[in-house]
Amino acid sequence: MTINRRDLALSTLAVSALALAAPAFAASADEEAVAKKVEAFRLAQIAADPKALGALCWDDLSYSHSSGKVEDKATFITNATDGKSKFLSIEYKDPTIKVVGPTAIVRFHWVAEQEMAADGKKVPTNLHILMNWQKQGDEWKLLSRAATKL
């Protein structure tokens, strides 16, 4: 059997494409469920929706800002929805999700812009985010979040 360069190139290309696609197919049901919750959280932040944020978070939430300020669930929701600022955009870039038992570790690059209600000033943010989600029954809820300025 002889293999010419064209056949070799095509088979190499096919194997490479399969190898690159494999991680996408490997996503578990839990990883997909967490990804949906992360997106729901992003949308709830943009909408400043206290009910949606409350439903996505554990009662014992620890929410840490890049300033070092740490909030519990009630304080986070109050401050996120008080109307003193509004998000014009929030992007969660390059997210990774790793499920370990009943816990999911989520990391992403946060790029956002807020508008301050008092003076209309627009404030950009560029952060690295670490979220820990924990499975409660069949539901994933945010347990903790930490932010680092980039």
Side-chain angles (χ1 to χ4, degrees):
M1 176 170 133
T2 47
I3 298 175
N4 62 37
R5 287 183 184 175
R6 181 176 167 265
D7 292 337
L8 182 60
L10 287 174
S11 63
T12 301
L13 181 61
V15 169
S16 297
L18 184 59
L20 292 174
F25 295 126
S28 72
D30 279 336
E31 287 169 337
E32 290 176 17
V34 171
K36 287 178 182 175
K37 293 295 184 174
V38 169
E39 177 61 7
F41 190 84
R42 185 185 75 81
L43 294 173
Q45 285 181 297
I46 292 170
D49 183 340
K51 186 175 179 181
L53 289 169
L56 290 163
C57 298
W58 273 86
D59 289 341
D60 292 326
L61 175 70
S62 177
Y63 193 94
S64 176
H65 294 271
S66 61
S67 66
K69 180 173 67 169
V70 179
E71 298 171 330
D72 62 14
K73 181 179 177 177
T75 305
F76 159 67
I77 292 171
T78 297
N79 291 338
T81 62
D82 64 9
K84 292 181 182 177
S85 67
K86 70 175 180 177
F87 282 107
L88 302 174
S89 66
I90 301 175
E91 291 181 73
Y92 289 3
K93 294 184 172 187
D94 305 320
T96 61
I97 298 170
K98 182 176 183 180
V99 174
V100 182
T103 304
I105 302 165
V106 178
R107 295 177 183 272
F108 55 87
H109 179 188
W110 157 297
V111 179
E113 185 176 42
Q114 286 178 272
E115 183 176 56
M116 307 313 283
D119 59 7
K121 181 179 177 185
K122 293 181 180 171
V123 180
T125 51
N126 185 17
L127 308 169
H128 178 77
I129 303 294
L130 168 65
M131 289 179 152
N132 292 295
W133 293 76
Q134 193 165 37
K135 199 169 191 179
Q136 183 178 32
D138 289 337
E139 289 290 316
W140 288 92
K141 296 207 179 231
L142 182 62
L143 179 62
S144 66
R145 184 254 200 195
T148 304
K149 289 179 186 175
L150 293 176

